[in-house]
Amino acid sequence: MATFTNLTRANEIGANSYALDLGDARLVLDAGMHPKLDGQASLPNLEMLDATPVDALFLTHAHHDHSGAVPLLMERHPDARVFLTEPTYYLADRLLHNSVNVMKSQREELGIPEYPFYTHPQVAALTRRWQACRLGDRWTLDGHPSRLPDPVTFTLHSAGHILGSAAVEIDHRGRRILYTGDINFADQTLLRGAELPTSGIDTLIIETTRGVQPNPEGYSRQDVRNRLLQALNQVHDAGGSSLLPIFAMGKTQELLALLHEARQRGEIPHDTFFIGGLGRSFTEIYDRLADAPDRLARKPSLTEDIRPQVLDWRTLRDFRPKRNHLYLLPSGMMTTRTTSNRFASSFLNREENGVFFVGYCDPESPAGRLRATPRGGKLQLNPDEPETPVRARVEHFDFTSHATREVILDYILRLGPRQCFLVHGDAPALAWFQTELSRSAPAMKVVIPPPGQPVDL
Ligand SMILES: [Zn+2]
Ligand SMILES: [Zn+2]
């Protein structure tokens, strides 16, 4: 009997992690940390795996909600092999070391005694056990190219979400299971869209991030790009400067490339782009892996052709944004103590300035609360701080790296799996997919897997 278990503690985008018990092998798909919770509550239900050893862990991409708990799972299962792509290897390694630093400071500032969950030497030792696998090849669970009919083999497919992101196809005695991780089918500026199997999948495990967001009429990435450039120009013409709070991994590199292209064509006047220190580290990895198969082109070199400067809040006092400079600072949700949060009031307090979001903002994050504050209002960015007047123009531009719900639904219907597990979405998003699938494909077994309960495959 084969089962699927949702190790996430709730049906939401949290500490993503799923177990596949195939009888012949026990596999885990991702092991993330919850972006909004702290301490033990931020972890997936890893204790559920203690009774039997895990044979292999697949890490689909480096984002923290998929990778943050990988060291903890590896400590509990010292014989488990870990499979990922080469870009994910470098990006997740850098991210986990950053995560150690974040947890160390949270231990002090928030008084969370169990932090850090892992240390720099632990991360260094554990990542040596990771095995990078080429996209499209078939592998055995021993980490060898598969030529004989092994009971369990796997293949990684490009997922188009961030550099190195991959969907995992598992072949078990003739049954094919596909776990998408986070997916995006459309080309971005740097990245090629996903290339997933189009037939022959029996069980599909798929993300539903955008299940509550209908695609706006006439939405196109080109249109979003043009509207952002127009906003940047209007701010510049009014003598102001623009802040783009942005995720350090993935979105920073995409927007650097997009804005560089616009700057070269004379569509925006800015002479210098600023990014944060962590954004710089991930940007260097994007450059080192310019030949990765999911990159659309080697060029531009993000560091050499674009030459972004690094803005470090520790070395700057009395910061005043400059009109000809463009600031792409992490984090995207303006989380407390991040660079965009520390600099936000320098932009918000003048009406000629702009604060432009380019990715997802949780409504409860400082970014989400800023978006909900009317211009002319006031906002408390952080507890224990005075309110900041919101005089600047604040807007959102949807440069998503997730497929829209319509595109994902279309993919599921064309693929036509016997069984479909809906994951990585909040309750209304999961419900939208379930309703649409029951209407359009009544024979398909659609499951919203309850946390901690094995479901038969
Ligand atoms: Zn992701
Ligand atoms: Zn995710």
Side-chain angles (χ1 to χ4, degrees):
M1 179 63 80
T3 60
F4 173 90
T5 308
N6 181 0
L7 302 174
T8 306
R9 290 181 197 271
N11 289 109
E12 60 181 3
I13 305 174
N16 301 292
S17 191
Y18 313 95
L20 274 176
D21 281 289
L22 300 177
D24 290 302
R26 192 174 208 218
L27 313 177
V28 174
L29 309 167
D30 288 330
M33 268 174 85
H34 200 296
K36 285 195 275 175
L37 300 176
D38 296 314
Q40 288 296 334
S42 70
L43 296 175
N45 229 321
L46 298 180
E47 1 13 298
M48 281 201 74
L49 302 171
D50 283 350
T52 335
V54 169
D55 297 296
L57 164 70
F58 297 93
L59 177 54
T60 60
H61 66 292
H63 277 154
H64 197 239
D65 61 319
H66 297 256
S67 66
V70 166
L72 293 158
L73 184 104
M74 290 181 73
E75 290 285 353
R76 291 169 105 110
H77 298 273
D79 295 324
R81 289 177 173 270
V82 180
F83 299 113
L84 31 56
T85 64
E86 189 188 19
T88 300
Y89 191 118
Y90 290 108
L91 292 170
D93 172 68
R94 183 68 188 78
L95 181 96
L96 291 175
H97 279 291
N98 182 65
S99 177
V100 173
N101 297 338
V102 171
M103 286 189 284
K104 277 182 171 174
S105 61
Q106 287 184 333
R107 179 193 171 89
E108 303 301 321
E109 290 168 29
L110 305 177
I112 303 169
E114 61 265 41
Y115 277 176
F117 281 136
Y118 37 85
T119 62
H120 290 298
Q122 271 175 311
V123 171
L126 292 170
T127 53
R128 279 198 282 275
R129 282 171 43 204
W130 291 0
Q131 181 177 343
C133 298
R134 224 172 48 184
L135 293 169
D137 291 352
R138 180 187 288 262
W139 302 83
T140 67
L141 291 185
D142 298 329
H144 298 297
S146 166
R147 295 196 179 83
L148 301 168
D150 296 280
V152 184
T153 59
F154 71 91
T155 308
L156 303 181
H157 302 275
S158 179
H161 171 63
I162 61 166
L163 191 69
S165 62
V168 188
E169 179 191 336
I170 291 151
D171 290 51
H172 175 228
R173 299 186 186 276
R175 186 213 320 255
R176 290 171 73 195
I177 302 163
L178 181 69
Y179 168 53
T180 62
D182 293 356
I183 39 170
N184 183 31
F185 288 97
D187 286 352
Q188 302 179 59
T189 312
L190 287 172
L191 281 194
R192 202 181 293 286
E195 289 167 10
L196 301 190
T198 50
S199 64
I201 297 296
D202 302 290
T203 299
L204 176 67
I205 305 153
I206 193 160
E207 68 122 318
T208 59
T209 311
R210 290 175 69 91
V212 276
Q213 283 162 276
N215 213 9
E217 197 74 40
Y219 167 92
S220 79
R221 201 178 162 83
Q222 187 66 21
D223 180 51
V224 177
R225 170 194 179 274
N226 293 342
R227 286 195 297 108
L228 172 66
L229 299 186
Q230 189 183 36
L232 293 173
N233 280 321
Q234 286 165 348
V235 167
H236 185 271
D237 293 347
S241 8
S242 295
L243 166 68
L244 277 61
I246 195 164
F247 288 104
M249 185 200 295
K251 203 74 82 190
T252 292
Q253 294 73 34
E254 274 293 319
L255 265 289
L256 270 181
L258 184 150
L259 293 166
H260 170 67
E261 191 190 73
R263 184 172 66 178
Q264 279 196 312
R265 291 182 186 170
E267 290 175 284
I268 50 169
H270 304 85
D271 55 24
T272 309
F273 298 156
F274 280 90
I275 59 176
L278 187 60
R280 167 81 181 204
S281 301
F282 293 131
T283 300
E284 284 168 355
I285 295 173
Y286 264 65
D287 276 347
R288 213 184 315 147
L289 297 166
D291 287 322
D294 50 349
R295 284 269 307 245
L296 278 169
R298 286 189 56 85
K299 286 280 173 188
S301 160
L302 302 175
T303 39
E304 280 166 30
D305 297 337
I306 303 178
R307 297 190 171 276
Q309 305 289 306
V310 174
L311 192 67
D312 186 346
W313 58 268
R314 281 164 297 202
T315 60
L316 282 173
R317 279 182 192 197
D318 304 324
F319 169 75
R320 287 279 296 278
K322 293 198 178 66
R323 179 177 175 227
N324 246 7
H325 295 173
L326 192 52
Y327 301 87
L328 288 73
L329 303 180
S331 66
M333 298 207 211
M334 285 177 32
T335 310
T336 304
R337 288 181 298 277
T338 60
T339 312
S340 61
N341 182 295
R342 289 179 203 269
F343 284 118
S345 52
S346 313
F347 290 85
L348 288 171
N349 61 14
R350 299 176 72 97
E351 67 174 30
E352 62 270 31
N353 290 341
V355 175
F356 300 132
F357 297 102
V358 291
Y360 176 71
C361 305
D362 185 278
E364 291 156 37
S365 66
R369 290 189 288 110
L370 172 57
R371 281 182 61 192
T373 306
R375 199 170 183 178
K378 283 185 174 179
L379 169 75
Q380 188 161 22
L381 276 167
N382 298 303
D384 313 325
E385 272 180 26
E387 289 184 318
T388 301
V390 180
R391 299 193 186 102
R393 168 176 176 181
V394 176
E395 271 173 63
H396 179 246
F397 299 89
D398 190 3
F399 287 97
T400 182
S401 52
H402 289 271
T404 63
R405 65 183 192 176
E406 289 80 7
V407 168
I408 288 191
L409 181 67
D410 182 58
Y411 174 69
I412 301 174
L413 293 173
R414 275 188 296 119
L415 187 66
R418 201 170 41 76
Q419 191 178 29
C420 181
F421 288 94
L422 302 172
V423 298
H424 198 284
D426 295 324
L430 296 162
W432 183 84
F433 276 98
Q434 194 172 43
T435 308
E436 292 298 316
L437 288 169
S438 65
R439 186 181 311 156
S440 308
M444 193 185 295
K445 193 176 163 209
V446 180
V447 184
I448 297 175
Q453 286 176 40
V455 181
D456 288 343
L457 281 180

